[in-house]
Amino acid sequence: MKKARLIAICGGIGSGKSVVSEILRSLGYEVYDCDSRAKQIMDSDLYIHERLCAEIHPESVVDGVIDRKLISEVVFGNPEALARLNDIVHRAVKADIERWAYEHATDNAVKFVETAIPVSSGMVSMVNDIWEVTAPYNVRIERVKKRNGMSEAQIVARMKSQEVESLDSIPHQRIINSPDCAILPQIHCLLNLFLG
């Protein structure tokens, strides 16, 4: 049976996990982007639309279009609604990753999954290794300011919401993405370590 070995690439906002993913793609590896795929799945899956309307808000989907602003307003500050939304999305994304990993796998192929929330999504149970991309706090803030145009307060709030995703108790590798640490040698070192 064909089987792919999966490595999660994770890290907080502004850490540079997308940069690491792009480098891996340029080296010929396939990388599944959880954020973009989650949006595509949510937009196209009628069962998800039904669950959003039944479990989040009756007007979560109007004429086949998800009202993300309304959903955000409903789940903000409502842990129960947020948990329901996460269950809907994470379950669909995990099933999609399993299909993706096995449909295109060759024996022992290595594939990567980029995710901001490996713990709460349940991704840690699906992967063979985790690579956490880190960067100094001030570097992360400046990167996000330039990229997204968010205020520092918005960035700090997003960073705090991701702090619950600590990997301290989970075995993982670390890639330091700061101006004084080259990323490519670290990636090559981890690939050599993982591929043996």
Side-chain angles (χ1 to χ4, degrees), residues 10 129-132 134 166-174:
C10 61
D129 201 6
I130 299 171
W131 294 2
E132 180 186 26
T134 64
S166 172
L167 296 173
D168 291 343
S169 62
I170 301 168
H172 65 282
Q173 315 301 324
R174 184 165 284 139

Side-chain angles (χ1 to χ4, degrees), residues 113-167:
V113 178
E114 180 184 331
T115 176
I117 49 173
V119 177
S120 60
S121 67
M123 192 64 57
V124 293
S125 65
M126 296 180 67
V127 298
N128 302 96
D129 201 6
I130 299 171
W131 294 2
E132 180 186 26
V133 184
T134 64
Y137 186 82
N138 61 328
V139 171
R140 291 172 61 194
I141 288 176
E142 289 307 312
R143 284 177 184 157
V144 179
K145 275 185 186 175
K146 287 179 186 173
R147 183 184 70 204
N148 295 11
M150 294 168 66
S151 71
E152 187 163 336
Q154 290 171 314
I155 298 166
V156 169
R158 180 85 64 88
M159 290 167 87
K160 284 183 179 175
S161 73
Q162 292 178 346
E163 283 176 2
V164 295
E165 292 291 333
S166 172
L167 296 173

Side-chain angles (χ1 to χ4, degrees), residues 93-106:
V93 170
K94 284 165 57 176
D96 191 54
I97 289 170
E98 287 178 358
R99 278 191 299 275
W100 169 80
Y102 286 97
E103 285 175 3
H104 306 286
T106 56

